[in-house]
Amino acid sequence: MSFLALPRRVLSGTNTFSLARAYSTKAPPTSASLPPSKQKLIPTSGSYPKGFLVSGISSAVKKSGAKDLALITSPEYPCSAAAVFTKNVFQAAPVVASRTRLQDNGGKGIHGMVTNSGCANAVTGSQGLENAKEMLEALDDLTGHQRSSLVMSTGVIGQHLKMDKILKGIQDSKQALGGDHKHWMDCAEAYMTTDTFPKLRSKTFQLPVSGVEYRMAGITKGAGMIHPDMATLLGTIVTDLGVAPGLLQYALTHAVDRSFNAISVDGDMSTNDTVALLANGGASQGKIVVKDVTSKDYEAFRESLTEFAQDLSQLVVRDGEGATKFVKVSVEGAPSFEAAKTVASTIATSSLVKTALYGQDANWGRILCAVGYSGVSEIDPTKVSVSFIPQDQSEPLKLLVNGEPEQVDEARASEILKMEDLEIRVELNLGKEKTAYWTCDLSHEYISINADYRS
């Protein structure tokens, strides 16, 4: 991941992530048609940052007529910010346009983000880049602040945007802007492609020194083509806390390494992935509050952001295409954070592990096999332990202890694997570092969804 340190009030850019998902022409399911486990993930209220106005409308890009154009604006206060982009070589036009805008912003700050779903504007050549620039200019005109906008797109690759509809939609969105829960829900719905529910979160938090209450809100999308660095995933997090741009980038890097870059659905990396973090200082009339990377306030903000990003990113896994299970892979006792993450990632992306989870088969040898080929040279087979941890707080099931297999209770293993949520815990006994990775199973339905994606 590479970063761009830009002046105060300007976004710092980052280079991570991947492509926007091809858009399904089918209309999204209604909340009433969702299983209870997903219905409970849709918020009915929220606490949203001061100074931000948002909207989500249909510009008729999607054949289904579903919402497909989202605006997030800070009309009064310029935002300092940080961003992370895909590492995919075929970077989409909106990725190129936004990165360039961040570099050329001239210290004016960012006032808005426009996102469309239904067309990725990826692999679209020079015309695609011109279309992305037109979207930026249209949002600049709407907010009244030139060269102060960012753009994201998600949908089918290799198709051009219907610019007449997009530009009219941006103009029409001005009347739809607002700051209440309904506006935020509309905005989240406009991000969706194969998602089965809008992924929106908000929260309040305090800093230890100032004691003032601040707010944070975030929207993400993604259900397939999900794998670090960032996969077919878009995300925007905003806060009304004023944070210096460089510090904001440090905080985002820390948070993304432990959230959006620690999830996997299918191991495929996309071309449009972007996660942006905007801080407008709306709770302090636009003033920068957090300026010192060594301060307790910065540390508290970073940890609050990390927890928030983890919550958001896990919604993507819970909505994984065809997924029936939400699985946390924990690796403890590693010699370094990087080693722990490598082992966790290898387990989480193993097709054999994921299909065994779908089949409710306690084939823990597949987990151990993944640990063995992870490439972490320090691993000592005689020190490794593996357990299933049920999420109902009942007794863990030990599978391997210090390299020695346990007499596994198959009935108990089957009981745990029938649960929707479970944890695979691996202890390396090589150090004190640990991390977690979130994944899902791999089902017949995943194949059906992706075989029928554009039909």
Side-chain angles (χ1 to χ4, degrees):
M1 188 183 297
S2 63
F3 305 98
L4 298 173
L6 296 179
R8 182 180 184 272
R9 291 306 208 178
V10 188
L11 268 173
S12 295
T14 321
N15 239 5
T16 295
F17 285 33
S18 54
L19 173 77
R21 183 66 172 164
Y23 162 66
S24 173
T25 58
K26 302 174 181 66
T30 62
S31 59
S33 68
L34 294 173
S37 61
K38 286 189 175 180
Q39 288 186 28
K40 69 181 182 181
L41 298 175
I42 303 174
T44 57
S45 62
S47 298
Y48 300 105
K50 297 176 181 179
F52 286 96
L53 299 177
V54 305
S55 65
I57 69 166
S58 171
S59 67
V61 167
K62 290 179 180 176
K63 295 178 181 179
S64 65
K67 294 182 181 70
D68 56 26
L69 190 66
L71 300 190
I72 296 178
T73 68
S74 177
E76 184 177 359
Y77 305 116
C79 299
S80 55
V84 183
F85 301 107
T86 182
K87 283 184 175 177
N88 194 300
V89 174
F90 287 97
Q91 296 186 355
V95 170
V96 176
S98 287
R99 180 184 289 112
T100 301
R101 173 57 60 88
L102 296 179
Q103 292 171 329
D104 298 342
N105 178 264
K108 297 178 182 178
I110 298 300
H111 283 272
M113 169 83 75
V114 54
T115 301
N116 78 276
S117 59
C119 177
N121 192 14
V123 198
T124 48
S126 58
Q127 184 59 55
L129 187 56
E130 287 302 313
N131 290 343
K133 291 177 180 177
E134 278 196 68
M135 292 176 68
L136 290 175
E137 291 167 0
L139 184 54
D140 287 346
D141 291 341
L142 185 146
T143 63
H145 300 278
Q146 296 306 301
R147 306 193 64 77
S148 67
S149 302
L150 302 177
V151 59
M152 299 193 296
S153 298
T154 180
V156 176
I157 299 167
Q159 296 183 3
H160 287 293
L161 288 166
K162 299 173 182 177
M163 290 304 294
D164 55 337
K165 295 181 178 181
I166 293 288
L167 295 178
K168 183 178 184 301
I170 293 174
Q171 293 174 354
D172 293 344
S173 294
K174 187 171 185 177
Q175 303 304 317
L177 289 168
D180 62 21
H181 178 67
K182 181 183 184 304
H183 290 99
W184 280 93
M185 281 296 296
D186 288 344
C187 190
E189 289 175 14
Y191 274 60
M192 295 169 61
T193 54
T194 57
D195 307 69
T196 63
F197 64 90
K199 299 172 177 65
L200 169 67
R201 285 292 180 267
S202 66
K203 75 171 190 178
T204 60
F205 64 101
Q206 290 186 337
L207 300 182
V209 176
S210 67
V212 176
E213 182 177 88
Y214 299 97
R215 300 181 180 191
M216 188 178 295
I219 295 171
T220 190
K221 63 81 53 186
M225 203 182 282
I226 302 296
H227 179 66
D229 293 314
M230 282 201 311
T232 180
L233 180 151
L234 300 182
T236 307
I237 300 174
V238 302
T239 180
D240 56 13
L241 171 66
V243 184
L247 270 62
L248 205 65
Q249 188 64 70
Y250 292 145
L252 182 63
T253 302
H254 180 92
V256 165
D257 280 346
R258 292 157 178 79
S259 58
F260 291 105
N261 279 349
I263 61 173
S264 184
V265 169
D266 49 20
D268 277 337
M269 180 186 289
S270 160
T271 55
N272 291 54
D273 293 349
T274 303
V275 169
L277 172 59
L278 308 178
N280 72 351
S284 56
Q285 291 74 51
K287 296 178 181 178
I288 297 291
V289 174
V290 180
K291 305 175 184 178
D292 183 359
V293 73
T294 64
S295 68
K296 291 183 178 179
D297 277 353
Y298 168 74
E299 184 177 345
F301 166 67
R302 187 190 68 180
E303 295 313 307
S304 184
L305 174 66
T306 300
E307 292 173 4
F308 188 73
Q310 287 177 342
D311 189 17
L312 261 184
S313 64
Q314 288 170 32
L315 294 177
V316 176
V317 178
R318 289 191 178 278
D319 201 21
E321 290 172 349
T324 68
K325 298 191 185 306
F326 176 78
V327 183
K328 179 180 180 181
V329 180
S330 299
V331 175
E332 301 180 352
S336 66
F337 172 77
E338 291 74 19
K341 191 171 182 180
T342 296
V343 172
S345 171
T346 306
I347 297 169
T349 56
S350 166
S351 295
L352 289 177
V353 172
K354 290 159 74 70
T355 50
L357 290 168
Y358 174 67
Q360 300 176 9
D361 179 9
N363 192 344
W364 57 268
R366 295 182 177 183
I367 300 171
L368 202 61
C369 180
V371 174
Y373 69 70
S374 65
V376 176
S377 60
E378 298 96 327
I379 290 175
D380 181 346
T382 66
K383 294 182 178 182
V384 176
S385 299
V386 180
S387 302
F388 285 152
I389 312 296
Q391 298 304 287
D392 63 357
Q393 308 305 314
S394 58
E395 188 71 19
L397 179 65
K398 296 180 179 180
L399 306 170
L400 184 78
V401 177
N402 293 325
E404 295 291 333
E406 293 289 286
Q407 187 65 41
V408 177
D409 182 341
E410 291 293 339
R412 175 59 176 154
S414 178
E415 186 179 72
I416 293 173
L417 289 171
K418 286 179 181 178
M419 298 177 183
E420 184 175 336
D421 288 22
L422 68 117
E423 176 184 350
I424 298 171
R425 185 174 297 170
V426 176
E427 172 62 58
L428 299 179
N429 288 305
L430 296 172
K432 297 181 179 181
E433 293 295 324
K434 62 181 181 179
T435 196
Y437 215 95
W438 293 270
T439 190
C440 57
D441 55 352
L442 190 60
S443 69
H444 298 292
E445 182 65 14
Y446 175 85
I447 298 172
S448 298
I449 291 170
N450 284 278
D452 190 38
Y453 196 73
R454 297 200 303 166
S455 59

